[in-house]
Amino acid sequence: MRHAPLSLSLSMILAAGTLAGCQPATLPISDTPPASAPAASVASDARFEQVAESLLMRALERSPEWSIYSGRYDNAEKLTIPDAARRAEDLAFARAALAELEAFDPQQLPASQRIDHMLLGNQFESAIWYQQQFRDWAWDPSNYNVAGTVALLLNTPYAAEDARLRTVMQRIDRVPEYYAAARANIEDPTTEHVELAIVQSRGALSVFDDELRKRIAASGLESAEKTAFNQRIDDARGAIEGWIGWLEDKQAQLATSGDARSFRIGEAQYERKFAYDIQSHYSAAELYRRAVEEKEQLHARMDDITRELWPKYLAGTAMPQDRLERIGMMIDHLSAKHVERGDFVDEIKRQIPTLAEFVREHDLLDQDETRPLVVRETPEYMRGSGAGASVSAPGPFNPTADTYYNVSPLDAYTDEQAESFLREYNHWVLQVLNIHEGIPGHYTQLLHANKSPSLVKSLLGNGAMVEGWAVYSERMMLEQGYGGQEPEMWLMYGKWNLRVVTNAILDYAVHVRGMTEEQAMDLLQREAFQEETEAVNKWRRVRLSQVQLTSYFTGYAEIMDLREQRRQALGEDFDLKTFHNRFLSYGNAPVSAIAELMAEQYPAQ
């Protein structure tokens, strides 16, 4: 399960990025310099703040797509055409931005601005690398899809219905040109990404369906506008259908030739992508080794719990000598306890208020009860990537919009597949999932993030921090007594946490070490105890993405380390709620940067 993408390479942001936004937090960071600060230093700080904000505003203006996902709709009627001319402009913009940043010495800036400087520099440097070296614009056709922004404009009440419809009407005018550019870009696609693009593009057609035409008919638009709008819908659908047909032809060519580009990106590109995307003090190889060690430790703890539970559940069954076999038998036995297929979404809706109440009762962190989490079925244009649940949050410029918990329905599953899925998300694991995606995981963190006074930290968020917080929140809730300290819950948490660990192992092993599908399925099913449906989905996902699967474990490990460092430094003065609120108040900065800020602004006495 994962959160909808929080940040992309800046090349994608500038062109057609999708940045999920956030919502306000508490305990804002003060960047106000002390009264004794030299005037020159104060002036430099102010200049940097102006430059940072200017760079962001110019980038947002250049990318209507990024603006829309950030909750800013000033230029929403414009559609970016991802052609060669645009890429040249993006490259020039990134280089010019780096030149502006080079005018400042980061070591002379306050801590918070130092982090902003680092985040901006990383994003613009990565923009150049993504465009010139990684070049996924040329081999990943799933990058091209106009449905997301259109759906967001239609479903977000940021303005009156007629105004939003007029914006969409203008926005879709150049859809045929958009897909013509996409076809021109794709040179050497992978089979896997062609397949994903086909699935998601078919889903995109659902945004331009009869429901939209009904809304147009019922609107206050002029008759001529309605006619023009319907014609543009026809043209957009025709362009998408033409794109799908082109992809299907490409798919057939790749199947016939047998020499499609590999989805594996190799060690050199993986390490560089890891450095840009994760921004950790670990290298990718170091993170992989730590994950392998953590897997062994988890197995040992889960074995202890299995031995404890054996007399209760499997007293009449001989306990196998093999550790993984006996753990697997206990998990298999417990997994039979799960919600009915037809009640899956309703059960998730039921659990969210329960989690919020637990957080309130135990005073674990601040919540915003005015912004409830909306559980919905995952829109069709977002399906197909292998992630069964995600959170779509409003951008920082539209903080009052709804946050959605997207849950993929089980309609497409056979009875056997549905049973496998429900066993994977059994009585205990489903609760951990809802902590991760909802409260106090992604949803809560995103509610806090926009109250960081730094737009840089909100808009250029670090995925490892975001995913790491969701994973950390699972462990923290159980530590604080959620689940009643039941050994069954801790065993299933161990199984769930093995996902985080094996995500990191799998991603590196597949893309760098050449792990085969057979080896991957053994890791996922035998060593991580995943049901077949989940393992198949994960194998699909690892072929469609790179590095992102490591973000969970990296962020989690760094947050746990930071919490214990603060606990040791503060001693009796350490307070868990204060730690959480302060941590979340820094927006979506990398954990290493947050650690630096916390040490500087809240030093141990």
Side-chain angles (χ1 to χ4, degrees):
M1 298 301 166
R2 63 177 176 177
H3 163 245
L6 180 73
S7 99
L8 301 172
S9 66
L10 197 62
S11 58
M12 289 301 295
I13 287 173
L14 298 178
T18 18
L19 215 76
C22 336
Q23 189 93 345
T26 57
L27 294 172
I29 308 165
S30 173
D31 282 335
T32 303
S36 59
S41 175
V42 174
S44 176
D45 300 349
R47 286 198 307 274
F48 175 77
E49 185 173 347
Q50 291 174 352
V51 168
E53 182 174 345
S54 174
L55 282 172
L56 280 177
M57 291 304 103
R58 280 179 277 160
L60 284 163
E61 186 61 32
R62 286 178 51 74
S63 176
E65 293 73 28
W66 186 23
S67 289
I68 291 169
Y69 281 101
S70 300
R72 183 176 179 270
Y73 307 101
D74 295 357
N75 55 351
E77 76 283 356
K78 300 176 182 177
L79 176 65
T80 301
I81 305 302
D83 56 16
R86 176 58 191 231
R87 287 195 298 278
E89 293 173 4
D90 291 342
L91 199 59
F93 183 83
R95 287 170 172 162
L98 287 173
E100 291 187 52
L101 291 173
E102 288 173 1
F104 298 90
D105 179 359
Q107 298 309 312
Q108 301 302 313
L109 296 172
S112 184
Q113 289 189 349
R114 205 159 57 237
I115 304 309
D116 286 355
H117 189 283
M118 180 268 290
L119 286 171
L120 285 165
N122 181 78
Q123 289 288 354
F124 288 115
E125 289 172 4
S126 69
I128 297 170
W129 179 79
Y130 266 90
Q131 185 178 141
Q132 295 189 321
Q133 303 298 323
F134 197 60
R135 291 173 53 86
D136 57 334
W137 54 267
W139 54 260
D140 181 1
S142 70
N143 281 326
Y144 306 106
N145 195 321
V146 298
T149 49
V150 172
L152 195 55
L153 292 171
L154 290 171
N155 296 327
T156 304
Y158 68 90
E161 170 83 348
D162 288 355
R164 284 155 44 220
L165 286 173
R166 287 189 173 99
T167 296
V168 170
M169 179 173 65
Q170 289 178 266
R171 182 168 182 78
I172 68 174
D173 186 40
R174 300 181 71 189
V175 169
E177 188 179 349
Y178 175 96
Y179 283 107
R183 287 195 297 273
N185 287 345
I186 298 302
E187 301 169 355
D188 183 24
T190 75
T191 300
E192 293 78 9
H193 290 93
V194 170
E195 178 185 351
L196 176 62
I198 292 171
V199 171
Q200 294 188 332
S201 295
R202 287 172 179 159
L205 290 171
S206 67
V207 175
F208 303 93
D209 60 6
D210 289 341
E211 184 61 33
L212 176 55
R213 296 186 193 273
K214 290 177 183 177
R215 287 176 64 171
I216 295 169
S219 73
L221 271 60
E222 299 291 338
S223 177
E225 290 179 303
K226 292 178 179 179
T227 300
F229 202 161
N230 278 290
Q231 181 58 54
R232 290 181 186 181
I233 291 174
D234 290 341
D235 293 343
R237 288 186 63 90
I240 295 170
E241 289 168 347
W243 169 242
I244 293 170
W246 186 85
L247 290 170
E248 289 174 337
D249 289 343
K250 184 69 67 174
Q251 187 178 46
Q253 292 170 14
L254 294 174
T256 301
S257 66
D259 60 352
R261 177 192 183 97
S262 173
F263 66 86
R264 305 177 197 270
I265 65 174
E267 183 175 9
Q269 285 201 327
Y270 192 96
E271 282 286 0
R272 183 63 66 88
K273 193 174 192 295
F274 181 89
Y276 282 132
D277 292 1
I278 304 299
Q279 296 172 272
S280 171
H281 66 273
Y282 291 108
S283 68
E286 290 169 341
L287 192 279
Y288 170 77
R289 289 192 290 270
R290 175 161 176 174
V292 171
E293 294 172 0
E294 181 67 20
K295 175 166 66 73
E296 173 61 27
Q297 295 170 12
L298 272 171
H299 282 161
R301 291 194 292 270
M302 293 172 72
D303 191 37
D304 290 341
I305 298 173
T306 295
R307 290 175 179 274
E308 176 187 351
L309 291 175
W310 200 273
K312 179 178 179 180
Y313 290 105
L314 297 172
T317 304
M319 184 184 295
Q321 293 297 312
D322 180 78
R323 179 175 67 177
L324 294 181
E325 185 178 352
R326 57 180 173 260
I327 296 172
M329 286 179 64
M330 182 57 66
I331 289 173
D332 185 64
H333 182 83
L334 294 177
S335 295
K337 184 176 181 179
H338 60 69
V339 69
E340 293 295 323
R341 175 177 184 164
D343 297 332
F344 183 67
V345 176
D346 287 342
E347 177 61 19
I348 290 177
K349 291 180 179 178
R350 186 194 68 79
Q351 287 186 19
I352 296 300
T354 302
L355 292 169
E357 181 60 27
F358 183 90
V359 171
R360 279 191 296 271
E361 288 181 354
H362 291 75
D363 203 24
L364 297 177
L365 49 73
D366 290 340
Q367 299 185 88
D368 183 354
E369 297 180 9
T370 68
R371 307 308 315 161
L373 179 60
V374 180
V375 181
R376 69 174 181 182
E377 291 189 1
T378 305
E380 289 188 26
Y381 65 87
M382 292 174 60
R383 300 178 192 175
S385 66
S390 66
V391 167
S392 298
F397 295 103
N398 188 28
T400 61
D402 288 333
T403 299
Y404 293 103
Y405 182 176
N406 307 305
V407 183
S408 295
L410 309 185
D411 301 346
Y413 286 168
T414 65
D415 289 344
E416 182 179 2
Q417 290 170 331
E419 176 65 16
S420 175
F421 181 92
L422 291 168
R423 288 177 63 85
E424 183 71 25
Y425 296 97
N426 56 59
H427 171 75
W428 297 276
V429 171
L430 185 58
Q431 296 176 71
V432 181
L433 168 68
N434 291 330
I435 292 172
H436 179 103
E437 299 290 347
I439 300 172
H442 283 316
Y443 160 69
T444 303
Q445 185 268 323
L446 292 167
L447 283 174
H448 276 248
N450 279 356
K451 273 193 180 173
S452 165
S454 165
L455 271 178
V456 174
K457 296 181 186 69
S458 292
L459 292 173
L460 301 182
N462 177 260
M465 179 272 177
V466 174
E467 295 295 357
W469 170 262
V471 176
Y472 163 79
S473 68
E474 305 160 8
R475 171 72 175 268
M476 181 272 294
M477 287 283 278
L478 267 62
E479 289 175 338
Q480 296 304 308
Y482 183 84
Q485 301 294 350
E486 290 182 343
E488 293 90 344
M489 175 63 90
W490 277 106
L491 179 65
M492 287 300 182
Y493 166 77
K495 166 178 155 53
W496 176 267
N497 197 236
L498 272 172
R499 279 185 182 213
V500 173
V501 175
T502 54
N503 276 351
I505 295 172
L506 178 72
D507 203 63
Y508 186 86
V510 167
H511 285 285
V512 176
R513 300 168 67 94
M515 175 179 274
T516 65
E517 180 178 2
E518 182 180 2
Q519 292 168 332
M521 296 300 285
D522 181 72
L523 171 69
L524 296 169
Q525 292 185 274
R526 187 178 66 86
E527 296 193 59
F529 312 106
Q530 294 180 14
E531 293 286 337
E532 181 180 6
T533 300
E534 181 65 25
V536 169
N537 282 339
K538 188 59 61 66
W539 171 246
R540 173 175 172 76
R541 183 171 166 185
V542 76
R543 291 178 294 152
L544 294 171
S545 67
Q546 321 83 22
V547 172
Q548 194 274 338
L549 280 170
T550 70
S551 61
Y552 306 85
F553 182 64
T554 310
Y556 163 71
E558 291 184 329
I559 294 172
M560 289 294 293
D561 290 347
L562 174 59
R563 187 186 73 177
E564 296 315 302
Q565 290 166 7
R566 297 298 294 171
R567 191 192 302 276
Q568 292 179 14
L570 296 173
E572 293 181 357
D573 292 332
F574 178 82
D575 176 73
L576 191 62
K577 180 180 181 179
T578 300
F579 170 77
H580 291 156
N581 283 335
R582 286 177 176 172
F583 180 86
L584 293 175
S585 74
Y586 292 99
N588 303 311
V591 179
S592 57
I594 293 175
E596 180 180 341
L597 290 170
M598 290 184 77
E600 181 169 318
Q601 296 180 330
Y602 305 105
Q605 300 298 321

